[in-house]
Amino acid sequence: MAGSVNKVILVGNLGKDPEVRTNQQGQKIVTFRLATSDTWNDRQSGERQERTEWHRIVIFNERSADVAERFLRKGRKVYIEGKLQTRKWTGQDGKDNYTTEIVLPRFGGELTILDTRHNEEDGQGGSPSRGNTGSSNSGGWDEPGGRSDLDDEIPF
């Protein structure tokens, strides 16, 4: 058994459209904020309570970054599978700051769009999009050369 595990699974909604930038090596990096919410009934008042957590997501995987850039928009519901990573950086005031992010590395992790909302801007939608970041030739749903028999009719 491995000595430790660093795995995060989140299902939530995008807070705003993803930001896309390119690093010095020309690789695409996509970042966005994901909201997850807990709801419960307060025992004393009986009122419905809700708490929302915001998570910073960073995608280094080229295939998932392409899916995120093309299909993700504010409000979309997504499934994210990645790992926690904390960065240290120095602010303008000279103090050390820390940021903890959920990272989809170049190899590994997963991004799946869960809702089927139609996007007016690019005319895409109608079926879930998936950026499986396992291997580069995984035969995923939206990958050229993927399995075409997934569109066959189901006999029941």
Side-chain angles (χ1 to χ4, degrees), residues 8-155:
V8 177
I9 297 174
L10 296 173
V11 175
N13 298 316
L14 269 71
K16 64 178 187 173
D17 290 354
E19 297 177 11
V20 181
R21 65 183 196 277
T22 306
N23 68 8
Q24 295 172 345
Q25 291 80 27
Q27 298 168 329
K28 193 179 297 186
I29 299 171
V30 177
T31 59
F32 58 89
R33 304 274 293 173
L34 189 72
T36 58
S37 297
D38 290 326
T39 57
W40 68 94
N41 288 327
D42 185 276
R43 290 185 181 183
Q44 295 178 353
S45 67
E47 292 181 18
R48 191 85 171 144
Q49 302 289 323
E50 181 176 6
R51 178 180 47 233
T52 301
E53 293 286 335
W54 288 94
H55 313 276
R56 179 176 162 83
I57 311 296
V58 182
I59 302 174
F60 291 103
N61 180 279
E62 188 175 328
R63 188 158 148 58
S64 292
D66 287 339
V67 169
E69 180 181 23
R70 291 180 55 204
F71 298 109
L72 293 187
R73 297 292 176 262
K74 179 180 178 178
R76 297 292 308 256
K77 182 175 286 294
V78 295
Y79 169 93
I80 296 288
E81 193 173 303
K83 63 181 186 174
L84 279 177
Q85 184 172 307
T86 301
R87 288 187 298 119
K88 178 181 174 182
W89 50 281
T90 304
Q92 292 178 343
D93 57 0
K95 293 183 181 178
D96 289 341
N97 297 299
Y98 296 88
T99 300
T100 300
E101 305 163 324
I102 288 77
V103 174
L104 279 71
R106 289 188 60 210
F107 303 102
E110 187 171 327
L111 164 66
T112 304
I113 300 174
L114 297 177
D115 59 4
T116 58
R117 204 164 18 139
H118 184 73
N119 188 336
E120 298 83 19
E121 290 179 2
D122 58 12
Q124 303 294 330
S127 65
S129 296
R130 180 180 173 124
N132 185 350
T133 61
S135 66
S136 61
N137 292 324
S138 62
W141 292 357
D142 56 352
E143 181 177 357
R147 293 182 50 180
S148 61
D149 62 350
L150 294 177
D151 294 333
D152 292 346
E153 290 186 27
I154 300 174

